[in-house]
Amino acid sequence: MAFGAVLCVAAQAQPVPSDFPGATMRFLNAELPQMEVAVKERDRDYFEQAMGRIMAFSEAWGFKTTANPALAQYATCTDAVNDFVIVGLCRVMPKASECEPGLAPKFDANLQRCRDLASKP
């Protein structure tokens, strides 16, 4: 019985790939307003802390440090998570080497596509 309970808990702990767009949008909807404040205040500490939250989110879903092939169909969402801090930092430090001219529009497009995926039933 204990072994079956452990398997049940382990199965419940695995995120469902189709929930990823919604989880991504909840994550980004919480982060983006904070990032706007950090950009206005030129608060670089926010970005360091946000990177930790990104790593925790990505580890929970199995991307960035590991490969989760089930998320391949949601590349716009993983890209949005990966890029949002860089886009914000580039607004604070536009001359940084990571600040490519097309990054912000690419982020905006990925964010909108992820939002669209999240709104599908």
Side-chain angles (χ1 to χ4, degrees):
M1 182 74 164
F3 180 74
V6 169
L7 283 178
C8 182
V9 170
Q12 290 175 345
Q14 296 297 318
V16 177
S18 61
D19 293 341
F20 183 67
T24 298
M25 289 315 306
R26 285 188 297 279
F27 176 76
L28 291 175
N29 286 340
E31 289 292 334
L32 289 171
Q34 294 177 69
M35 183 184 76
E36 288 300 322
V37 171
V39 168
K40 281 183 185 177
E41 296 176 357
R42 304 187 65 75
D43 176 11
R44 293 185 198 175
D45 290 338
Y46 162 80
F47 296 99
E48 185 176 328
Q49 295 164 1
M51 281 303 298
R53 291 188 296 274
I54 289 170
M55 292 307 296
F57 181 81
S58 68
E59 287 173 12
W61 283 94
F63 75 97
K64 204 168 181 116
T65 56
T66 59
N68 184 344
L71 298 182
Q73 62 186 322
Y74 305 116
T76 57
C77 296
T78 56
D79 288 349
V81 170
N82 288 334
D83 291 344
F84 95 90
V85 165
I86 297 168
V87 169
L89 274 171
C90 288
R91 291 174 56 202
V92 174
M93 303 178 304
K95 302 276 188 212
S97 62
E98 296 84 10
C99 301
E100 300 170 11
L103 184 61
K106 178 183 152 206
F107 167 74
D108 291 338
N110 284 331
L111 182 64
Q112 184 57 52
R113 285 197 274 311
C114 187
R115 187 173 282 124
D116 293 345
L117 287 169
S119 68
K120 289 184 179 177

